Amino acid sequence: PSLGILIVRHLKRLERVILGYLEVSDGPGEEARLAMLQTLQCTIEHAWPRMPCRLPVLLKALLRLLWDVHSERGPTPEPVRAALLQGATQCLILLDRCCQGRVKV
């Protein structure tokens, strides 16, 4: 977040890290996934001009995360589950705004 628009320099590498963490559950607290969703939100907010070209990859990862969280019935407490769903939804909303409604389509 403190890098602001300079985050664009590291966007490709950052995207790989974020997507890697979102793919794998890290236990009942899901601290890593929640932190990555916050990181993704900040990245979208600061690097929004570059998001349309990254939309397919990010959209696929977020939808997969939503499906995984919704369908898994493991040891994750309901408040953590809700926080993951809310974080992913917020990322989708931000993506939709900076991609002129292409997420909804």
Side-chain angles (χ1 to χ4, degrees):
S2 61
L3 285 175
I5 192 65
L6 296 178
I7 197 75
V8 170
R9 291 182 186 166
H10 309 284
L11 200 53
K12 194 169 198 118
R13 192 173 324 149
L14 180 61
E15 180 184 284
R16 282 195 308 262
V17 171
I18 290 171
L19 296 179
Y21 275 99
L22 290 181
E23 286 178 3
V24 181
S25 174
D26 61 309
E30 295 283 11
E31 292 89 3
R33 275 180 162 176
L34 290 169
M36 285 301 113
L37 286 170
Q38 287 180 321
T39 302
L40 181 56
Q41 286 179 22
C42 290
T43 302
I44 294 168
E45 289 169 359
H46 287 93
W48 63 268
R50 299 294 174 106
M51 289 299 119
C53 65
R54 303 206 177 303
L55 180 63
V57 173
L58 294 174
L59 184 58
K60 182 178 176 182
L62 288 167
L63 291 175
R64 183 179 299 139
L65 174 65
L66 286 170
W67 175 255
D68 288 348
V69 171
H70 178 73
S71 61
E72 289 173 359
R73 293 293 170 215
T76 306
E78 196 53 43
V80 174
R81 231 179 192 34
L84 285 169
L85 294 173
Q86 177 62 32
T89 302
Q90 189 60 38
C91 287
L92 288 170
I93 291 168
L94 289 171
L95 275 174
D96 191 55
R97 287 183 186 155
C98 64
C99 295
Q100 293 83 35
R102 288 181 20 209
V103 170
K104 289 178 187 164
V105 175

